[in-house]
């Protein structure tokens, strides 16, 4: 069955960096676009970034452009989110999600990132 | 960016009764290919979101047939024909036509009266 397992979250000081990972299994990872979506505590869902199935294109929400980078390693069935210059407002649960028959058909369990001094 | 609105934001329901959530977009969600990329998601308490409906009215695998989606252009509806206890949670609509960014509605909290 399809599984997406995020890791790499934690507590980090403002201005520092963190890299999230999402290990995929149960489907042909290299055939699907992949997304990161976040949810601040007690808030709604916010799309963060998408990467094409082959890594050839990527897009970001304006608030993270220039600070976050989405990437993938299809040989390892793994999606990444490199987060630099973190701010308090980046505090959220970060989910990876697959794109099949449209965006976000399957989600991981999420990993919590807390940006605090 | 396309703004998604939902109503109501809170929906107390009676078990076994129908429920309906409205979603509106700030511009038409009809894409140049003729499809309308409007999806619905359910987030049960303490869980990750789950997609229920894609392209307005297509149910995802494993989604009970008491859930149905309808609408066109800028106005969309999610209906639950008979609410069950497991349907408690927050429901989000999302547009995937005019991206980036993909945008979600604010969410509708469904609970039992």
């Amino acid at each position: 069955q399809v599984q997406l397992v995020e890791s790499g979250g934690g507590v980090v000081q403002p201005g520092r960096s963190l890299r999230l990972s999402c290990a995929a299994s149960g489907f042909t990872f290299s055939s699907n676009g992949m997304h990161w979506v976040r949810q601040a505590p007690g808030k709604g869902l916010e799309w963060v970034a998408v990467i094409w199935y082959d890594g050839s294109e990527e897009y970001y929400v304006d608030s993270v452009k220039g600070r976050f980078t989405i990437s993938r390693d299809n040989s390892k069935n793994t999606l990444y989110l490199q987060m630099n210059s973190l701010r308090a407002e980046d505090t959220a649960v970060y989910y990876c999600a697959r794109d099949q028959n449209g965006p976000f058909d399957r989600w991981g369990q999420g990993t919590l990132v807390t940006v605090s001094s | 960016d396309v703004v998604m609105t939902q109503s109501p934001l809170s929906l107390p329901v009676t078990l076994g009764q129908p429920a309906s959530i409205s979603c509106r977009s700030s511009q038409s969600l009809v894409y140049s290919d003729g499809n309308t990329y409007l999806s619905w998601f359910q987030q049960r308490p303490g869980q990750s979101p789950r997609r229920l409906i894609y392209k307005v009215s297509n149910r995802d695998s494993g989604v009970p047939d008491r859930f149905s989606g309808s609408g066109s252009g800028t106005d969309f509806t999610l209906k639950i024909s008979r609410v069950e206890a497991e349907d408690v949670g927050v429901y989000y609509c999302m547009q995937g036509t005019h991206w980036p960014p993909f945008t979600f509605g604010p969410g509708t909290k469904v609970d039992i009266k």
Side-chain angles (χ1 to χ4, degrees), chain A residues 22-38:
Chain A
C22 169
S25 60
F27 66 102
T28 306
F29 180 71
S30 59
S31 296
N32 292 91
M34 294 294 296
H35 301 260
W36 287 99
V37 178
R38 67 185 178 182

Side-chain angles (χ1 to χ4, degrees), chain A residues 35 37 39 43-47 50 52 59-61 95 99-105 107-110, chain B residues 1 37 39 41 43 47-51 54-55 60-61 92 94 96 99-106:
Chain A
H35 301 260
V37 178
Q39 186 171 35
K43 302 298 185 182
L45 301 169
E46 180 184 38
W47 171 79
V50 62
W52 254 222
Y59 298 90
Y60 301 88
V61 68
Y95 298 99
D99 194 306
Q100 183 157 304
N101 287 328
F104 323 136
D105 74 304
W107 298 63
Q109 87 288 350
Chain B
D1 297 354
Y37 294 96
S39 298
F41 297 83
Q43 188 173 30
Q47 295 188 13
S48 302
R50 168 198 184 193
R51 196 176 73 180
Y54 63 97
K55 287 194 282 187
D60 273 281
S61 175
Y92 299 91
M94 186 281 301
W99 67 272
F102 297 89
T103 49
F104 291 87

Side-chain angles (χ1 to χ4, degrees), chain B residues 22-65:
Chain B
S22 173
C23 173
R24 288 186 174 171
S25 56
S26 59
Q27 56 186 281
S28 173
L29 298 186
V30 180
Y31 189 54
S32 55
D33 65 2
N35 288 309
T36 300
Y37 294 96
L38 184 285
S39 298
W40 289 94
F41 297 83
Q42 174 195 61
Q43 188 173 30
R44 292 170 171 154
Q47 295 188 13
S48 302
R50 168 198 184 193
R51 196 176 73 180
L52 300 175
I53 302 283
Y54 63 97
K55 287 194 282 187
V56 180
S57 59
N58 295 274
R59 266 191 308 276
D60 273 281
S61 175
V63 174
D65 60 8

Side-chain angles (χ1 to χ4, degrees), chain B:
Chain B
D1 297 354
V2 175
V3 177
M4 306 298 290
T5 57
Q6 291 180 227
S7 63
L9 297 182
S10 179
L11 182 58
V13 297
T14 300
L15 290 175
Q17 294 301 303
S20 179
I21 300 170
S22 173
C23 173
R24 288 186 174 171
S25 56
S26 59
Q27 56 186 281
S28 173
L29 298 186
V30 180
Y31 189 54
S32 55
D33 65 2
N35 288 309
T36 300
Y37 294 96
L38 184 285
S39 298
W40 289 94
F41 297 83
Q42 174 195 61
Q43 188 173 30
R44 292 170 171 154
Q47 295 188 13
S48 302
R50 168 198 184 193
R51 196 176 73 180
L52 300 175
I53 302 283
Y54 63 97
K55 287 194 282 187
V56 180
S57 59
N58 295 274
R59 266 191 308 276
D60 273 281
S61 175
V63 174
D65 60 8
R66 65 178 180 275
F67 290 94
S68 64
S70 63
S72 62
T74 61
D75 291 315
F76 305 93
T77 302
L78 176 71
K79 292 183 178 177
I80 310 174
S81 59
R82 294 174 304 280
V83 172
E84 298 189 5
E86 65 179 17
D87 300 335
V88 166
V90 181
Y91 291 79
Y92 299 91
C93 61
M94 186 281 301
Q95 69 84 22
T97 296
H98 304 288
W99 67 272
F102 297 89
T103 49
F104 291 87
T108 294
K109 185 175 183 179
V110 172
D111 59 12
I112 305 301
K113 281 183 184 175

Side-chain angles (χ1 to χ4, degrees), chain A residues 13-82:
Chain A
Q13 293 179 329
R16 303 298 292 265
S17 299
L18 207 59
R19 188 177 84 155
L20 306 183
S21 299
C22 169
S25 60
F27 66 102
T28 306
F29 180 71
S30 59
S31 296
N32 292 91
M34 294 294 296
H35 301 260
W36 287 99
V37 178
R38 67 185 178 182
Q39 186 171 35
K43 302 298 185 182
L45 301 169
E46 180 184 38
W47 171 79
V48 175
V50 62
I51 187 167
W52 254 222
Y53 68 99
D54 59 356
S56 60
E57 295 190 38
E58 48 197 82
Y59 298 90
Y60 301 88
V61 68
D62 282 351
S63 59
V64 308
K65 278 181 188 174
R67 300 189 300 122
F68 289 12
T69 302
I70 188 172
S71 62
R72 63 192 298 158
D73 185 337
N74 284 346
S75 69
K76 295 182 178 178
N77 290 344
T78 303
L79 175 73
Y80 303 101
L81 186 67
Q82 178 66 44

